[in-house]
Amino acid sequence: MGTRTLLRGLTLAVAAVLPLCGPAAVQAVQAAPSTAAAVAVCGHTSAQPTLQQGSTGDATVEAQCELDLATKPSRYTPIAADGSFGSGTQTRVKEFQRCAGLSADGVIGPQTWAALNSWAAQPHTCATQGTAGTAQATVCGHTDARPTLKKGAKSEEVKEVQCRLNLAMEPFHYPPLTVDGDFGGGTEDRVIELQHCANLSADGTVGPNTWAKLVDWSSRNAYCTPPHPAGHPIDGLDTAKYQHPGGAPIDWKAVRASGAEFATVKATRGMNVTDEYLATDLEGARAAGLAVAPYHFYTGTAADTGAAQADRFIAAVRATGYTGKRAGDLPPIFDLERMDDGSGRCPTYGTVADAKAWLDRVESAFGRVPMIYTQKSFLDDCMGSTTAFARYPLQLADYRQSITQPPVPNGSTTWTMWQYTDAAIFPGLRAPATGDVFNGTRADLDKLANR
């Protein structure tokens, strides 16, 4: 997979919302109306008759497949989706019903269907873990055919691929695909992610080797999970309004308890946007014990606005109590990347001089050398491969799983933070965040954070 250029501006905007997990999930399912519209999560049928031991047909296949999707996040090995409701299916139905806080009678009625639709479409976890069992050959129930497939294909075999991808990819990092039989860009991207996990040629085509790995991982208690950069154990995350779906707060104590040690929090964008969660997140993260930095998203949509953008940023973060010199304060961060309008274009009026105007103004205000969030390819393409930013510490974004270090811009020799994924999941958050690692020791982080 080539260099991904979706950085903070676009990645966070399309972050998938995570469901509740554990006891909260049970409460949500119990509270949900049983009259919710029926959906064919696995792509077989939206008919949802009452099913019990002895039932057969498409609705049974759909139920078995949804049971697999619903229970695998709790480490249950999939059951056979063969359209025959036998004792194995009945056992799994009872296990699922207990997970969902329902009466465990082994019968799939309206309430169990509603819970299945919810749990299969978005991942939840049970209070107890399943145990590994025998891998099943038929877990999605569409077809046993294994033709070579690529973007543009439309078929039952594509449904099989999409369903198996949902079973093979760790669901809290890779939101489930819609099983519609249409091999579009989202399916291609997910295939590429699977191929990276499996150390296969990442071409987005489902050939024999990809089929083999897909079938293996989807049929047993195994997942593809995003790799963590080796040798960099200090973790952090980036947050903005997108980590607050429906206004949900971030539980920063839970984030810290999970092992995260630093956070960068969106403060401002351009000339007229202040993130509505700046004050609560910046101080909430700091109070929980994380090292914190506010960041500004630069928008080169008008000429010579760097200094004015800096003034807005300075005022906004000072209002939260940030000084840059308190214990826990990391340097302010300048987010320098492509336009966040979906075009992928360079900032129209973005220049080295205008970026420097922001950096100089903020450094003067806080007495700290700001950090720059960027990417070598951006500086090469949009800033003429400048070396003007060589003195600044760097937070570099690069999501490729094939690299062990992000490439540094011309003139720079190292990096301070590496944003290595756009699908980091932290306890305490209701939506994925971009995840980072720190290039140094804990003592180095403490020094940078005035501790």
Side-chain angles (χ1 to χ4, degrees):
M1 180 166 59
T3 301
R4 291 175 65 173
T5 57
L6 287 177
L7 307 184
R8 267 200 191 105
L10 296 179
T11 301
L12 294 178
V14 298
V17 175
L18 289 182
L20 297 168
C21 300
V26 171
Q27 294 169 10
V29 170
Q30 290 173 327
S34 59
T35 57
V39 291
V41 176
C42 288
H44 290 286
T45 176
S46 59
Q48 298 189 345
T50 297
L51 301 174
Q52 56 192 340
Q53 192 164 359
S55 297
T56 59
D58 287 346
T60 299
V61 178
E62 178 71 22
Q64 291 167 325
C65 176
E66 290 193 28
L67 281 164
D68 288 340
L69 289 167
T71 59
K72 194 177 178 189
S74 299
R75 314 310 296 183
Y76 285 85
T77 296
I79 61 172
D82 57 8
S84 178
F85 197 132
S87 60
T89 300
Q90 184 184 59
T91 296
R92 182 58 55 86
V93 171
K94 289 180 179 180
E95 290 169 331
F96 171 71
Q97 288 170 328
R98 284 190 285 269
C99 285
L102 302 173
S103 176
D105 59 4
V107 176
I108 304 178
Q111 286 188 313
T112 300
W113 270 118
L116 271 178
N117 292 168
S118 174
W119 285 50
Q122 292 186 332
H124 298 68
T125 55
C126 300
T128 57
Q129 294 277 293
T131 56
T134 303
Q136 299 292 332
T138 304
V139 294
C140 288
H142 288 288
T143 176
D144 293 328
R146 304 287 184 261
T148 296
L149 298 169
K150 61 180 62 177
K151 187 176 180 180
K154 297 182 180 181
S155 64
E156 287 296 299
E157 289 81 8
V158 174
K159 286 187 177 181
E160 184 76 13
V161 166
Q162 292 167 328
C163 175
R164 284 189 178 269
L165 283 167
N166 290 343
L167 285 167
M169 309 296 286
E170 202 281 316
F172 295 106
H173 287 89
Y174 302 97
L177 298 167
T178 298
V179 181
D180 59 6
D182 187 352
F183 198 133
T187 300
E188 182 182 50
D189 287 346
R190 190 59 52 81
V191 170
I192 289 171
E193 289 166 329
L194 172 88
Q195 291 168 328
H196 279 303
C197 281
N199 294 315
L200 301 173
S201 176
D203 58 5
T205 297
V206 184
N209 291 336
T210 300
W211 267 117
K213 183 57 66 174
L214 183 57
V215 168
D216 177 34
W217 278 351
S218 62
S219 63
R220 59 186 177 89
N221 190 354
Y223 275 129
C224 158
T225 58
H228 186 280
H232 302 289
I234 299 177
D235 289 305
L237 69 160
D238 307 301
T239 67
K241 66 180 181 180
Y242 309 107
Q243 277 65 56
H244 296 268
I250 292 176
D251 182 346
W252 284 105
K253 289 182 179 179
V255 174
R256 180 68 186 93
S258 74
E261 298 191 47
F262 65 93
T264 70
V265 175
K266 187 172 184 179
T268 50
R269 175 192 181 277
M271 296 285 292
N272 56 10
V273 175
T274 298
D275 193 276
E276 55 260 49
Y277 296 97
L278 165 63
T280 54
D281 283 349
L282 197 67
E283 284 309 296
R286 181 172 171 271
L290 284 82
V292 295
Y295 73 85
H296 171 78
F297 186 95
Y298 171 75
T299 59
T301 54
D304 302 323
T305 62
Q309 291 189 47
D311 288 340
R312 180 175 183 81
F313 171 80
I314 293 164
V317 300
R318 277 181 172 165
T320 71
Y322 175 84
T323 67
K325 296 185 177 180
R326 300 173 304 174
D329 282 353
L330 291 167
I333 299 177
F334 184 50
D335 186 339
L336 185 59
E337 58 174 287
R338 296 176 187 274
M339 295 178 69
D340 60 349
D341 59 0
S343 68
R345 292 180 292 126
C346 298
T348 306
Y349 295 96
T351 64
V352 172
D354 202 40
K356 282 285 290 174
W358 191 97
L359 293 163
D360 291 345
R361 186 72 63 97
V362 170
E363 182 174 354
S364 177
F366 295 110
R368 302 285 310 263
V369 176
M371 187 179 301
I372 298 177
Y373 170 96
T374 193
Q375 191 175 53
K376 182 182 187 301
S377 61
F378 169 80
L379 295 181
D380 288 347
D381 294 345
C382 301
M383 296 284 171
S385 299
T386 182
T387 61
F389 304 127
R391 69 179 287 258
Y392 298 94
L394 297 170
Q395 182 185 19
L396 296 177
D398 198 312
Y399 305 153
R400 290 176 295 171
Q401 297 178 14
S402 59
I403 62 174
T404 57
Q405 302 276 342
V408 297
N410 290 348
S412 300
T413 59
T414 189
W415 52 273
T416 301
M417 298 174 184
W418 173 14
Q419 186 188 89
Y420 70 95
T421 180
D422 61 350
I425 305 299
F426 291 88
L429 270 70
R430 287 286 309 279
T434 47
D436 300 80
V437 291
F438 181 75
N439 189 16
T441 65
R442 190 161 286 102
D444 294 328
L445 179 64
D446 285 342
K447 182 179 179 181
L448 191 63
N450 305 307
R451 295 191 298 210

